[in-house]
């Protein structure tokens, strides 16, 4: 398929597009041809001399392909003709090719002309210890934690008011595109009920704002890797409690338990909760004006700590990443923050950092 055909076929189908690399898109109407800021995207056109963005298609580059096909790492790609396979859908609010699954120089693999309906999720195989995680390969303990921090802190940061719309994408009900799945409740609720009233859902900070005093500030306060939709009342009742086993059954969200100093989520998301906290403890170190840490205790209150570490490790083992969690990680990476939760891709790293 040519770039012109791809621009006219933005219908969510999957196809292979052939075009010349003409730069990196950084905004809806902006494509740069030098001093590339990162490896997240490239622009294709039917001619290598094209300068009009209306004649370009913007290509999303997932983590697994950035080392080989990102513009910052491979500036010599400019002017080369390549074939890219992905989903024909908007990117940067512009004609795009997202959730890409294959890149090749033109002629090295035959382009397909088959159009298919995209799958219900964009989940891909977890990246291996190459590419995105290359600098973490072979490391363990504190060295691994430091290497992962250096990788995942390279991200696009959202502002707080944009979080609800992002959650409508990352937490969409796979069986009902009009709804989101609430974290603790497990309920499928209408996306339109984002608000502050009874029956609405709002933004749950799995690592509470008060445990580090980051509030809703850009960064930790807006990081999608620990923000999830939840019923307004359930969110308020969970408050800033640590996580642990035990307590009394919580009537407003069956399967959850709570007491004066801890919260136990339903079984299906115990691992999800643990891996979100592991991410936060690695992502936000002293260089980020924060030094979030996990402790093997509860009742941590207003300190930059969360617990209970030994229980969180158990939960991560008992509830490994499922398709929903993996798909969510992909969407945050591909469409919003351009970074990943390494403990979804590599759950074995939990024991290496927190033996």
């Amino acid at each position: 398929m040519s770039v012109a055909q791809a621009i006219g076929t933005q219908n969510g189908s999957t196809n292979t597009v052939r075009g010349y690399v003409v730069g990196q898109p950084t905004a809806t109407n902006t494509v740069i041809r030098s001093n590339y800021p990162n490896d997240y995207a490239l622009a294709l056109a039917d001619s290598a001399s094209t300068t009009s963005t209306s004649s370009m298609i913007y290509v999303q580059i997932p983590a697994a392909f950035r080392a080989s096909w990102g513009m910052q790492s491979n500036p010599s790609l400019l002017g080369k003709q390549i074939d890219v396979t992905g989903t024909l859908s908007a990117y940067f609010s512009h004609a795009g090719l997202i959730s890409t699954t294959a890149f090749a120089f033109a002629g090295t693999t035959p382009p397909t002309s088959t159009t298919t309906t995209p799958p219900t999720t964009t989940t891909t195989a977890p990246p291996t210890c190459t590419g995105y995680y290359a600098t973490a390969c072979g490391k363990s303990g504190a060295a691994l934690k430091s290497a992962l921090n250096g990788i995942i802190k390279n991200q696009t940061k959202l502002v707080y008011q944009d979080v609800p719309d992002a959650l409508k994408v990352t937490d969409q009900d796979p069986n009902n595109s009009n709804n989101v799945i609430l974290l603790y409740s497990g309920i499928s609720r209408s996306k339109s009920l984002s608000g502050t009233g009874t029956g609405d859902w709002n933004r749950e900070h799995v690592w509470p704002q008060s445990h580090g005093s980051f509030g809703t500030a850009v960064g930790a306060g807006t990081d999608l890797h620990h923000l999830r939709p939840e019923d307004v009342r359930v969110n308020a009742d969970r408050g800033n409690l640590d996580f642990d086993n035990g307590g009394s059954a919580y009537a407003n969200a069956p399967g959850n338990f709570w007491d004066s100093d801890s919260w136990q989520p339903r079984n299906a998301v115990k691992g999800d909760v643990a891996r979100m906290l592991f991410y936060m403890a690695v992502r936000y170190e002293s260089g980020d004006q924060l030094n979030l840490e996990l402790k093997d205790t509860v009742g941590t209150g207003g300190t930059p700590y969360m617990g209970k570490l030994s229980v969180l490790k158990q939960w991560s083992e008992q509830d490994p990443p499922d398709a929903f969690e993996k798909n969510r990680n992909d969407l945050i990476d591909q469409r919003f923050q351009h970074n990943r939760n390494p403990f979804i891709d590599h759950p074995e790293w939990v024991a290496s950092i927190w033996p």
Side-chain angles (χ1 to χ4, degrees), residues 143-226:
L144 175 59
K145 184 180 181 186
S146 178
L148 291 176
N149 170 262
I151 294 168
I152 64 178
K153 71 180 181 182
N154 183 18
Q155 69 180 96
T156 299
K157 297 177 181 178
L158 278 68
V159 295
Y160 195 60
Q161 57 265 34
D162 289 342
V163 170
D165 284 341
L167 294 180
K168 292 174 185 178
V169 175
T170 61
D171 292 77
Q172 178 175 292
D173 182 348
N175 299 312
N176 185 344
S177 61
N178 295 316
N179 289 9
V180 292
I181 299 293
L182 306 187
L183 176 64
Y184 305 127
S185 310
I187 295 170
S188 178
R189 184 166 294 176
S190 174
K191 292 178 179 178
S192 66
L193 293 176
S194 170
T196 59
T198 301
D200 288 341
W201 62 268
N202 60 2
R203 295 155 283 196
E204 155 70 344
H205 290 73
V206 177
W207 191 296
Q209 301 170 42
S210 63
H211 288 241
S213 300
F214 50 75
T216 60
V218 171
T222 64
D223 197 314
L224 293 175
H225 282 296
H226 85 118

Side-chain angles (χ1 to χ4, degrees), residues 86-105:
T87 301
L88 293 165
S89 184
Y91 188 42
F92 282 97
S93 301
H94 183 281
L97 190 66
I98 66 172
S99 302
T100 46
T101 58
F103 290 73
F105 288 105

Side-chain angles (χ1 to χ4, degrees), residues 12-345:
S13 62
T14 299
N15 217 309
T16 298
V17 179
R18 174 170 290 186
Y20 291 91
V21 178
V22 290
Q24 178 178 356
T26 57
T28 303
N29 298 310
T30 304
V31 171
I32 60 175
R33 295 175 62 86
S34 61
N35 300 318
Y36 306 112
N38 52 53
D39 290 326
Y40 301 151
L42 58 80
L44 294 180
D46 285 324
S47 167
S49 61
T50 298
T51 57
S52 172
T53 58
S54 64
S55 299
M56 300 176 186
I57 191 165
Y58 294 174
V59 177
Q60 184 180 60
I61 308 177
F65 295 102
R66 289 175 190 159
S68 299
W69 297 95
M71 296 302 292
Q72 185 182 65
S73 297
N74 306 276
S76 62
L77 284 173
L78 189 69
K80 299 292 196 302
Q81 189 180 40
I82 66 173
D83 295 329
V84 186
T85 302
T87 301
L88 293 165
S89 184
Y91 188 42
F92 282 97
S93 301
H94 183 281
L97 190 66
I98 66 172
S99 302
T100 46
T101 58
F103 290 73
F105 288 105
T108 58
T109 58
T112 178
S113 60
T114 301
T115 301
T116 60
T117 301
T120 56
T121 69
T122 58
T123 301
T124 58
T128 59
C129 194
T130 58
Y132 184 68
Y133 293 115
T135 57
C137 291
K139 294 182 171 65
S140 61
L144 175 59
K145 184 180 181 186
S146 178
L148 291 176
N149 170 262
I151 294 168
I152 64 178
K153 71 180 181 182
N154 183 18
Q155 69 180 96
T156 299
K157 297 177 181 178
L158 278 68
V159 295
Y160 195 60
Q161 57 265 34
D162 289 342
V163 170
D165 284 341
L167 294 180
K168 292 174 185 178
V169 175
T170 61
D171 292 77
Q172 178 175 292
D173 182 348
N175 299 312
N176 185 344
S177 61
N178 295 316
N179 289 9
V180 292
I181 299 293
L182 306 187
L183 176 64
Y184 305 127
S185 310
I187 295 170
S188 178
R189 184 166 294 176
S190 174
K191 292 178 179 178
S192 66
L193 293 176
S194 170
T196 59
T198 301
D200 288 341
W201 62 268
N202 60 2
R203 295 155 283 196
E204 155 70 344
H205 290 73
V206 177
W207 191 296
Q209 301 170 42
S210 63
H211 288 241
S213 300
F214 50 75
T216 60
V218 171
T222 64
D223 197 314
L224 293 175
H225 282 296
H226 85 118
L227 293 173
R228 300 291 289 266
E230 186 48 71
D231 176 82
V232 168
R233 178 173 178 179
V234 176
N235 191 351
D237 286 345
R238 186 263 158 156
N240 71 346
L241 295 173
D242 289 287
F243 291 98
D244 195 6
N245 290 315
S248 302
Y250 179 71
N252 295 307
N256 293 257
F257 296 82
W258 67 328
D259 56 26
S260 62
D261 57 17
S262 70
W263 183 274
Q264 177 183 323
R266 60 193 175 97
N267 290 337
V269 295
K270 282 180 175 175
D272 306 53
V273 166
R275 285 179 286 274
M276 285 186 274
L277 297 184
F278 295 143
Y279 165 88
M280 293 293 285
V282 169
R283 169 62 185 87
Y284 295 98
E285 299 282 14
S286 55
D288 303 292
Q289 286 84 44
L290 290 171
N291 191 11
L292 304 183
E293 296 291 346
L294 295 169
K295 299 290 186 180
D296 200 27
T297 185
V298 294
T300 55
T303 62
Y305 307 132
M306 277 296 294
K308 187 176 182 180
L309 177 57
S310 58
V311 172
L312 295 171
K313 290 168 62 179
Q314 292 172 2
W315 289 355
S316 184
E317 292 179 1
Q318 294 167 2
D319 174 35
D322 60 14
F324 185 90
E325 188 180 3
K326 292 176 182 178
N327 185 59
R328 190 175 193 276
N329 196 27
D330 288 341
L331 289 169
I332 293 173
D333 176 24
Q334 295 168 4
R335 298 187 59 176
F336 298 103
Q337 295 184 182
H338 307 299
N339 74 337
R340 302 183 68 80
N341 182 334
F343 304 104
I344 297 173
D345 294 329

